């Protein structure tokens, strides 16, 4: 993976169930590398395999369709819909899952699924209709993670998953990552 002016010849393997950590000083290129992987920032070269098959990733929507999720370090700017509810954020990437074969959307199904994530991630307040803008940073991050997990991704890319969260939220997020 290369992106002109940012990263050059980055290579790594990640197997099912593994956590790969990238570290570096600010400006070292770790965010740029992960954004280039999903082509959120145009890369100059790169070849990718997922579950043994070479794949092409043209843009972030294409990555999502292939089961690759990138969670930005900027949850407020590019991860969450702050004025929407917890449930609406969790279901934002999976709306079709909550519609029947006639295209009728079943908000009750989304609310139920959201309550499951609220319990699993200990989101507070435990109200799927609460607006995300009113949550603490740690609870916003838990909503963002729930949104990604609702997709049931094959590869989950976190950029600074515990940035701006308190110690309790950080501990829970680390525990959930280990469970994954």
């Amino acid at each position: 993976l290369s992106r002109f002016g940012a990263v050059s010849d980055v290579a790594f393997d990640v197997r099912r169930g593994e956590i790969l950590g990238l570290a570096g000083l600010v400006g070292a290129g770790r965010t740029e590398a992960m954004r280039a992987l999903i082509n959120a920032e145009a890369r100059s070269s790169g070849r990718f395999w997922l579950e043994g098959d070479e794949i092409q990733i043209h843009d972030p929507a294409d990555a999502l369709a292939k089961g690759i999720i990138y969670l930005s370090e900027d949850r407020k700017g590019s991860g969450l819909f702050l004025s929407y509810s917890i449930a609406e954020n969790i279901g934002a990437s999976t709306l079709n899952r909550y519609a029947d074969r006639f295209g009728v959307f079943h908000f009750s199904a989304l609310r139920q699924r959201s309550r499951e994530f609220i319990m699993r991630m200990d989101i507070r307040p435990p109200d799927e209709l609460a607006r995300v803008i009113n949550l603490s940073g740690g609870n916003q991050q838990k909503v963002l993670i729930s949104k990604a997990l609702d997709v049931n991704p094959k590869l989950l890319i976190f950029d600074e998953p515990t940035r701006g969260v308190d110690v309790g939220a950080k501990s829970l997020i680390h525990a959930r990552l280990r469970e994954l």
Side-chain angles (χ1 to χ4, degrees), residues 12-111:
F12 54 87
D13 291 322
V14 182
R15 289 174 179 71
R16 183 178 303 277
E18 287 185 337
I19 295 175
L20 170 68
L22 300 180
L25 299 172
V26 172
R30 73 180 156 65
T31 294
E32 292 80 0
M34 296 304 99
R35 289 181 51 81
L37 191 145
I38 64 163
N39 226 9
E41 295 181 12
R43 59 181 174 266
S44 48
S45 66
R47 294 179 65 191
F48 312 99
W49 289 263
L50 184 64
E51 298 180 321
D53 297 320
E54 187 168 8
I55 61 169
Q56 301 294 318
I57 303 171
H58 304 288
D59 55 42
D62 191 33
L64 177 65
K66 290 176 172 63
I68 301 170
I69 304 290
Y70 169 79
L71 296 180
S72 170
E73 65 184 333
D74 180 13
R75 67 178 164 266
K76 290 182 179 181
S78 59
L80 295 169
F81 302 104
L82 295 176
S83 63
Y84 287 72
S85 71
I86 292 171
E88 290 165 325
N89 271 275
I90 289 174
S93 299
T94 56
L95 290 175
N96 61 336
R97 179 177 298 155
Y98 303 103
D100 63 23
R101 61 187 177 115
F102 301 109
V104 176
F105 186 77
H106 296 279
F107 193 66
S108 61
L110 174 57
R111 287 183 67 179

